[in-house]
Amino acid sequence: MMKLLYFLLFTTACFAQIEVTPDGLEFDEYGDFLVIEADTISANELFNRAIKYVEMNYRDPEEVYKGKVEGEYLKIETFKPNLTVVNNAGFKLDIDARYFIEMRFKDGRVRYEITSLNMTAQNGGRPLYFSGSIWKGYPIYNKKGDLRLEESKADIENYFNNELRAIKKMLWGESPKDDW
């Protein structure tokens, strides 16, 4: 029975959602950010595990660090090519993303926040943004809040939710599979 309870708690916590709304990215819990619970793990250990995540997942980790306070704070910049595709008058345009993640550490928890997100067509063109007029770029929602770009919404949510799951696993001490 305890194993089942642990499994249910783990899977519920592991699949917290990031959702694309007309106002931007929204987290289930607090709206603009998420608190990742990690009972019994010190702030310093959580910080070290976040550093380990960056070291293992970025080609040049020193370039992505934009702020670091040992055991308290970490800010990283990420570039994601081909985040999604938009259709512009019959032409498919790849959209790249550049974003910043801030993590604040306390004993037993991490505040995770995406503080800036810029999505732009690879051709140097217009931006993809959450809501507005088609004359300024590629809005996911129109001015009335109706969904326009369902595929882009799904691509963005899938990418950020998968990234969040990977970060959570590292913070919780689950090492990536080592089956070589």
Side-chain angles (χ1 to χ4, degrees), residues 2 5 7 13 29 34 46 54 56 66 76 87 91 105 119 147 159 167 172:
M2 285 301 288
L5 181 61
F7 175 76
E29 199 172 346
L34 177 75
L46 290 167
V54 173
M56 292 178 71
K66 299 303 175 188
I76 60 173
N87 187 346
F91 293 100
F105 303 89
M119 300 173 287
L147 181 61
Y159 171 76
I167 290 170
W172 290 337

Side-chain angles (χ1 to χ4, degrees), residues 1 21 41 44 58 95 124 130 135 153-154 157:
M1 184 65 170
T21 71
I41 303 172
N44 281 333
Y58 289 85
I95 302 292
F130 296 107
W135 303 110
K153 178 184 185 303
E157 289 174 349

Side-chain angles (χ1 to χ4, degrees), residues 6 25 27 30-31 36-37 57 79 83 88 100 125 139-140 145 160 171-172 176:
Y6 175 74
L25 294 179
F27 295 86
Y30 295 100
I36 300 168
E37 299 290 338
N57 289 285
F79 176 75
L83 176 66
N88 184 24
F100 290 88
I140 297 169
F160 282 108
L171 291 171
W172 290 337

Side-chain angles (χ1 to χ4, degrees), residues 104-169:
R104 297 178 188 276
F105 303 89
K106 292 189 177 185
D107 289 345
R109 58 193 175 153
V110 178
R111 178 183 162 142
Y112 175 92
E113 183 176 8
I114 298 169
T115 58
S116 173
L117 171 60
N118 295 306
M119 300 173 287
T120 308
Q122 284 182 359
N123 67 354
R126 301 173 355 184
L128 174 70
Y129 57 101
F130 296 107
S131 178
S133 168
I134 61 170
W135 303 110
K136 293 181 181 179
Y138 309 106
I140 297 169
Y141 292 88
N142 66 20
K143 290 180 181 179
K144 295 179 183 178
D146 299 325
L147 181 61
R148 290 187 62 254
L149 302 175
E150 188 173 335
E151 186 177 326
S152 291
K153 178 184 185 303
D155 289 345
I156 294 165
E157 289 174 349
N158 288 335
Y159 171 76
F160 282 108
N161 282 310
N162 288 335
E163 287 297 302
L164 180 59
R165 271 188 216 97
I167 290 170
K168 281 182 175 184
K169 285 181 177 184

Side-chain angles (χ1 to χ4, degrees), residues 5-20:
L5 181 61
Y6 175 74
F7 175 76
L8 291 173
L9 288 172
F10 175 76
T11 54
T12 302
C14 188
F15 296 107
Q17 292 287 315
I18 298 174
E19 184 179 355
V20 172

Side-chain angles (χ1 to χ4, degrees), residues 41-49 70-72 105-107:
I41 303 172
S42 71
N44 281 333
E45 181 60 25
L46 290 167
F47 176 83
N48 290 335
R49 289 177 183 182
E70 186 79 26
E72 293 179 28
F105 303 89
K106 292 189 177 185
D107 289 345

